[in-house]
Amino acid sequence: MSNTPSAVPTTRHASFLSPIPMFFVLLWSSGFIVAKFGLPYAPPLTFILLRFLCVLAVLAPVVLALRAPWPPLRQVGHIAVAGLLVQAGYLIGVWCAIKQGMPAGLSALIVGMQPILTAFAAPLIGEKVLPRQWLGLIFGIGGVALVVAAKIQLVGLSAAAILLCVLALVSITCGTLYQKHHCPQFDLRVGTVIQFAASTILVLPLAVIFEGLGPDFAAVQWTPRFIGALAWAVLGVSICAIFLLFALIRRNDATQVTSLLYLTPPTTAIMAWLMFGEAFNALGMAGMLLAVTGVIFVVKKPK
């Protein structure tokens, strides 16, 4: 591992009470708000492609100017595969599902199963989940269910929307485990460029085939609201949040990292309440407290 400004100390089990995990949760949760702002003005695959291209436009010159160290060719392949799963697979599934009418609450609940799925798969990468952590994972999914219970609507919901959300769940879970096992250490700037470049190569033909994307991006309505949503998706979520996610994966067990995603639906619900006036009742508050309790159980260091 090179001693670059982007390198993060490899001390395991970093304190989850530090600002990094909390800031990550806030940024990651804002991704659902970005979807609410941006999707009315662009098809989902086109929006995702623009997001990836903008990330590359921001980071690629930085990597070249600073001469950031590139990993060996074999590791480049592993980083690219992880990116296809964590970036492209996850975003395609969630955003296309929301575009097809998947309620944000139900989408959050399905994707919120990731910590449980990760815990079951953790032994495959040599990690052990303690009984206390299993209890915390159960608390967490229960809390998520309470938060989104009032917003779940099944009437008119298509099987395709559900399958897309499940695709997102499986994709980001496999991507997190793959990266933790095959490439936990790399320069964050270079790794992000590799991942978004690989994801761009995948999304571009899909946008052309399924959305009729042309070089003029005619389907996009370049309103101030869309431009603001795109800018935040690029800088706040795809760069800052992803950097923090990579740092957490590097320093902690996969089960601990993914348990933080239990805090995403409650945080998103509060954001939606503040920004759009969406309901957030006592049941949601109880679910938030239960989810926080579950995360504490998972990330607390053994004595």
Side-chain angles (χ1 to χ4, degrees), residues 82 84-91 166-176:
L84 290 173
L85 294 167
V86 173
Q87 311 292 350
Y90 171 72
L91 287 175
V166 172
L167 166 68
L169 165 64
V170 173
S171 185
I172 193 171
T173 302
C174 292
T176 301

Side-chain angles (χ1 to χ4, degrees), residues 32 35-36 39 93-104 107 161 164:
F32 288 94
K36 192 174 182 69
L39 280 179
V94 170
W95 284 52
C96 290
I98 292 176
K99 190 69 173 182
Q100 291 200 16
M102 169 72 75
S107 175
L164 283 167

Side-chain angles (χ1 to χ4, degrees), residues 274-289:
L274 292 173
M275 300 183 70
F276 307 117
E278 294 186 6
F280 187 70
N281 52 26
L283 187 64
M285 186 62 70
M288 183 174 182
L289 293 175

Side-chain angles (χ1 to χ4, degrees), residues 7 32 114 130 134 147 156 190 208 223 228 231-233 241:
F32 288 94
Q114 185 192 350
L130 303 175
W134 279 112
V147 169
V190 172
V208 172
T223 65
W232 183 254

